[in-house]
């Protein structure tokens, strides 16, 4: 198995391109699926990143415990920023975190990661109302409405096709809103400094499918 004992330096980060980082993610996920991930010298990486960090990407993920972001992409200490919220949607704080990651800290990739069998998506499909969960799920409703016009049958969580389509639409609409709401990230992408992409993690197989 490959071994990691060197953290990303500023020079190494500067040499990365968005496509190189994306390919690294894809290859890392393939290693995860094959159960051939890197062995990690955590102590060495902790020492090297104590004073600074130069992550290659930021991932917006759901909070789901079955989606350990660093593991599924075979990344480790110092490699990636991770923002997590149930339903992996953007808000002002997450947009600010993305802008910091890319514009200030030099990351090359924004990856919006949805996942199979997402409880937040199912709850949004069922229009669940409960405490602060109600307002949280409102962020996912645009994806639910889009799916209602694309999938036949029942428009609730009992319809697996409807849920799966909503998971995909939520990722796509989140990417669209990131570009609309963040002139900084939008311009960086236009200038080729970053890429904004998305995918869906299939928890049953360990595989990330790009959208």
């Amino acid at each position: 198995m490959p071994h990691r004992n060197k953290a990303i330096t500023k020079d190494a980060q500067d040499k990365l391109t968005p496509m190189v980082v994306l390919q690294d993610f894809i290859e890392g996920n393939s290693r995860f699926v094959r159960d051939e991930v890197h062995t990690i010298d955590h102590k060495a990486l902790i020492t090297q990143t104590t004073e600074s960090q130069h992550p290659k990407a930021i991932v917006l993920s759901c909070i789901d415990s079955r989606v350990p972001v660093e593991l599924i992409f075979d990344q480790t200490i110092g490699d990636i920023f991770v923002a997590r919220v149930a339903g992996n949607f953007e808000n002002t704080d997450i947009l600010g975190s993305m802008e910091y990651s890319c514009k200030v800290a030099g990351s090359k990739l924004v990856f919006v990661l949805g996942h199979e069998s997402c409880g937040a998506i199912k709850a949004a499909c069922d229009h669940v109302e409960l405490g602060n969960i109600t307002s949280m799920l409102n962020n996912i409703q645009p994806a639910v409405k889009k799916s209602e016009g694309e999938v036949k049958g029942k428009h609730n969580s009992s319809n697996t096709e409807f849920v799966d389509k909503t998971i995909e639409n939520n990722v796509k609409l989140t990417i669209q809103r990131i570009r609309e709401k963040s002139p900084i990230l939008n311009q960086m992408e236009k200038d080729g400094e970053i890429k904004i992409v998305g995918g869906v993690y299939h928890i049953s197989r360990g595989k990330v499918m790009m959208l």
Side-chain angles (χ1 to χ4, degrees):
M1 291 185 180
H3 183 67
R4 279 289 306 277
N5 61 2
K6 297 289 186 183
I8 300 173
T9 63
K10 182 66 168 65
D11 287 343
Q13 185 197 54
D14 288 342
K15 293 174 183 176
L16 293 171
T17 67
M19 279 305 301
V20 165
V21 176
L22 178 57
Q23 186 61 34
D24 179 66
F25 270 41
I26 292 170
E27 292 175 0
N29 181 241
S30 293
R31 290 192 298 274
F32 176 73
V33 172
R34 299 193 308 268
D35 198 21
E36 297 176 358
V37 296
H38 287 92
T39 59
I40 307 296
D41 186 342
H42 292 107
K43 185 175 182 180
L45 295 178
I46 289 170
T47 300
Q48 293 169 40
T49 57
T50 298
E51 299 298 329
S52 64
Q53 60 169 338
H54 307 286
K56 68 186 81 168
I58 177 166
V59 179
L60 170 56
S61 169
C62 182
I63 64 169
D64 198 289
S65 66
R66 300 164 296 176
V67 189
V69 178
E70 285 89 349
L71 291 180
I72 67 175
F73 287 117
D74 194 17
Q75 305 297 315
T76 187
I77 295 168
D79 284 348
I80 59 175
F81 291 107
V82 181
R84 303 190 72 148
V85 63
N88 45 268
F89 58 85
E90 90 302 331
N91 60 24
T92 301
D93 299 320
I94 287 174
L95 287 170
S97 298
M98 289 177 171
E99 290 172 353
Y100 171 80
S101 302
C102 298
K103 191 67 175 179
V104 179
S107 295
K108 311 294 184 179
L109 184 73
V110 175
F111 197 115
V112 180
L113 182 66
H115 70 93
E116 177 186 35
S117 192
C118 180
I121 297 293
K122 290 179 180 179
C125 289
D126 291 337
H127 303 281
V128 168
E129 294 187 4
L130 177 65
N132 291 300
I133 295 173
T134 305
S135 59
M136 181 189 74
L137 294 179
N138 285 338
N139 292 281
I140 305 172
Q141 284 304 317
V144 174
K145 290 181 173 61
K146 189 173 191 300
S147 298
E148 287 174 351
E150 298 172 344
V151 178
K152 296 180 180 179
K154 293 183 178 180
H155 293 155
N156 58 43
S157 64
S158 69
N159 185 342
T160 302
E161 181 185 358
F162 181 64
V163 172
D164 290 345
K165 178 59 71 172
T166 304
I167 289 167
E168 292 184 9
N169 282 336
N170 187 52
V171 171
K172 292 176 181 177
L173 290 174
T174 297
I175 290 172
Q176 179 180 314
R177 291 192 298 265
I178 289 170
R179 291 176 175 138
E180 291 172 351
K181 294 180 179 180
S182 175
I184 289 175
L185 296 174
N186 190 26
Q187 190 61 50
M188 289 185 76
E189 186 175 41
K190 287 179 179 178
D191 292 341
E193 298 174 53
I194 64 170
K195 282 184 72 69
I196 305 173
V197 300
V200 174
Y201 175 64
H202 290 261
I203 58 177
S204 56
R205 294 183 286 144
K207 180 70 174 175
V208 175
M209 303 300 295
M210 298 298 300
L211 295 180

